[in-house]
Amino acid sequence: MNDIAKGMILVLIILYLVSPIDICPGPIDDLIVLLIGLAARNGIAKIEA
């Protein structure tokens, strides 16, 4: 189940970054989403251990 959650987070981040529809135009929101996704993946990994 945990691997599925990690994969889903990764897929959602990639879809958001690649999609032409953004919450705000520009690279700032993309960087924020990327950092939140990395933090979430690290948080899931620490919970697993």
Side-chain angles (χ1 to χ4, degrees):
M1 180 76 170
N2 209 351
D3 291 334
I4 293 172
K6 287 181 188 179
M8 285 177 59
I9 290 173
L10 181 64
V11 169
L12 290 174
I13 290 171
I14 291 171
L15 285 175
Y16 183 81
L17 294 176
V18 174
S19 73
I21 300 171
D22 282 340
I23 293 173
C24 350
I28 301 300
D29 66 326
D30 293 337
L31 291 174
I32 292 170
V33 168
L34 182 63
L35 291 174
I36 291 172
L38 291 173
R41 289 193 66 194
N42 288 336
I44 290 173
K46 287 180 183 177
I47 291 171
E48 181 182 292

